[in-house]
Amino acid sequence: MLTPPIPTNQTVQTARRHWTFWLLIGIILLLAVIMVIAPIYAARTRYPYPNLNFSTLIGSLGIILMLMLTWPYIEHTASIQTGTESFTVRKYGQTALEYPYAAITGHNVRPNFDRQRSWTELVVYLPDNWFALRSVDFDNFDELKALFSANSPMVPYRQVLSPGEQRLARGFLIVALLVGLAPVWFGFAAHQPVSKRPARLVVLVGYVFDIKQTTNRNNAFMGYDFELVNYPDFTFRTRKTNFNDSLRTVPNWFATHGNITLLIREHDFLTKITRKRPLTFADKYDGYQYIDSFGIGGQSGR
C-alpha cells in the first residue's frame, strides 16, 4: 500500500466564488429589499391602514424562491484545512468540523456538470458526515484528490444527508410550510364573516364627488365606484351581484356633485365611518378603504 501524502503543515483552501454565487447573493439581497420596502410603501400610501395582500404575495414568493436557490449550495464545501493528522471541513451554512484521516470510510471520484460548466467531483465519506470537493472550486484540487484517495478506499457514489444538512432541511421545510400557510391564513382571517346572520344595513347620505363604472378582465360591466366629498378616505363599491335590478341606469338617477343615499353594512358604519367599534383584522389590512353598498337612493339591495 502506498504511503499517504500527509501534509507537513496546516493548509487552508477556500472555494472559488463563481459568478452564479454572486448572482444568487444579489437576488437574495434584492428580494430582501423588496420584502422590506413593499410593506413600508403600502403603509405610507394607504391611510389609515395598508392593503398588505401584495406584500404578502411578494414575501411568500420571495422566501420560496430563496429556498429554491440556496438549497443546492448547502452541500458545497466552502473551505477545507488539511493538517498532519486531521483536517477541518466547512460547508455553506454549517459550522466547521474536524476529523482525523483515519475516520474516512471511503471516497468516490466522478464527473459532474450543470448548464454552465463541467467538473470532476471528489466525494469523501465519514461515519456521520460527508463532503464534496469540486475541481472548479479549488485550485489545488488534484492535491486534495490525491490526499483523500490515498487515505480511503474507493466506494460507489451515494447521496446522503449529514446531521447538519438534515437540520437545515427540516428548517427549510418548516419555513416553506409557514410561507405556504401564511397567505391561506391571511385570506381566511381577512374574509371571515362578521356574523353568521345576514348583515344589517344602515343609511348613509353623502355628496358625490366622482362616479366610475367598473368592469372585469373581459370588459364586462360589474358596477360603480362612488367617491363622496364628506367621506374622502373611502370608495363605496356598488356591484350588480348585490342588486336584483340592473345598475346601468344608476347615473341617470342623480347628477354628479349631488347628494346620494347608500345602504351599507352596519358593521362598516360602526367600525369605519363612526369608529364606535374596534376594527377587525380584515378591516385593517384587506381593503380598508373599500365599503360595499347594497342600495342606492330609493333602490334596495337583495
Side-chain angles (χ1 to χ4, degrees):
M1 182 176 179
L2 296 177
T3 303
I6 299 296
T8 57
N9 53 12
Q10 298 287 338
T11 302
V12 179
Q13 299 191 43
T14 303
R16 189 186 302 115
R17 301 290 194 267
H18 191 250
W19 67 267
T20 54
F21 177 85
W22 298 113
L23 177 62
L24 172 63
I25 297 298
I27 293 175
I28 292 176
L29 292 177
L30 178 61
L31 291 173
V33 171
I34 292 176
M35 284 186 288
V36 171
I37 291 179
I40 294 177
Y41 175 79
R44 290 188 175 182
T45 56
R46 296 291 185 181
Y47 176 82
Y49 294 103
N51 187 338
L52 298 183
N53 289 336
F54 177 75
S55 301
T56 304
L57 175 64
I58 292 297
S60 300
L61 293 178
I63 293 176
I64 291 175
L65 182 59
M66 282 192 293
L67 294 179
M68 294 175 58
L69 293 175
T70 56
W71 177 252
Y73 283 88
I74 296 301
E75 64 181 23
H76 290 183
T77 300
S79 66
I80 184 167
Q81 176 178 313
T82 56
T84 55
E85 297 181 355
S86 63
F87 63 93
T88 302
V89 62
R90 182 178 66 84
K91 297 181 181 181
Y92 290 110
Q94 302 181 43
T95 58
L97 297 174
E98 183 177 2
Y99 294 94
Y101 292 103
I104 302 175
T105 60
H107 76 276
N108 177 272
V109 179
R110 63 176 188 141
N112 207 341
F113 64 92
D114 58 19
R115 293 183 179 181
Q116 289 82 30
R117 52 188 176 165
S118 60
W119 61 85
T120 300
E121 184 175 79
L122 168 68
V123 182
V124 180
Y125 295 101
L126 298 153
D128 60 347
N129 204 346
W130 75 288
F131 64 92
L133 303 176
R134 307 191 308 174
S135 59
V136 293
D137 293 339
F138 294 92
D139 294 330
N140 298 332
F141 174 79
D142 291 337
E143 296 179 9
L144 292 172
K145 183 177 68 172
L147 171 63
F148 290 104
S149 298
N151 283 277
S152 62
M154 173 73 76
V155 296
Y157 173 80
R158 63 183 187 276
Q159 184 73 39
V160 294
L161 287 179
S162 66
E165 290 166 343
Q166 293 176 14
R167 288 191 295 270
L168 287 174
R170 287 194 294 268
F172 273 44
L173 179 61
I174 292 173
V175 172
L177 288 175
L178 293 177
V179 171
L181 291 175
V184 176
W185 175 84
F186 188 86
F188 177 80
H191 296 285
Q192 281 296 292
V194 177
S195 173
K196 293 183 179 180
R197 300 178 60 185
R200 294 182 58 183
L201 302 179
V202 298
V203 176
L204 182 75
V205 179
Y207 189 84
V208 179
F209 173 74
D210 191 20
I211 176 174
K212 297 179 181 178
Q213 180 176 307
T214 59
T215 58
N216 59 18
R217 293 181 179 179
N218 297 324
N219 205 34
F221 172 79
M222 294 180 59
Y224 296 97
D225 285 347
F226 294 93
E227 294 182 8
L228 306 182
V229 174
N230 42 336
Y231 301 106
D233 294 332
F234 304 101
T235 297
F236 296 87
R237 300 186 298 191
T238 302
R239 298 294 180 261
K240 65 179 182 179
T241 54
N242 295 327
F243 287 78
N244 291 324
D245 301 325
S246 173
L247 291 179
R248 294 184 182 276
T249 58
V250 165
N252 299 328
W253 297 353
F254 59 91
T256 305
H257 304 296
N259 287 326
I260 187 175
T261 299
L262 300 176
L263 293 179
I264 65 174
R265 294 187 183 95
E266 183 183 47
H267 170 79
D268 290 330
F269 181 78
L270 294 177
T271 57
K272 298 182 180 181
I273 303 297
T274 64
R275 301 189 182 183
K276 291 183 179 180
R277 290 182 182 175
L279 296 169
T280 64
F281 182 87
D283 296 330
K284 293 181 178 180
Y285 301 118
D286 189 60
Y288 169 87
Q289 71 275 23
Y290 295 106
I291 297 179
D292 290 329
S293 172
F294 299 87
I296 302 176
Q299 304 294 318
S300 60
R302 287 187 301 197

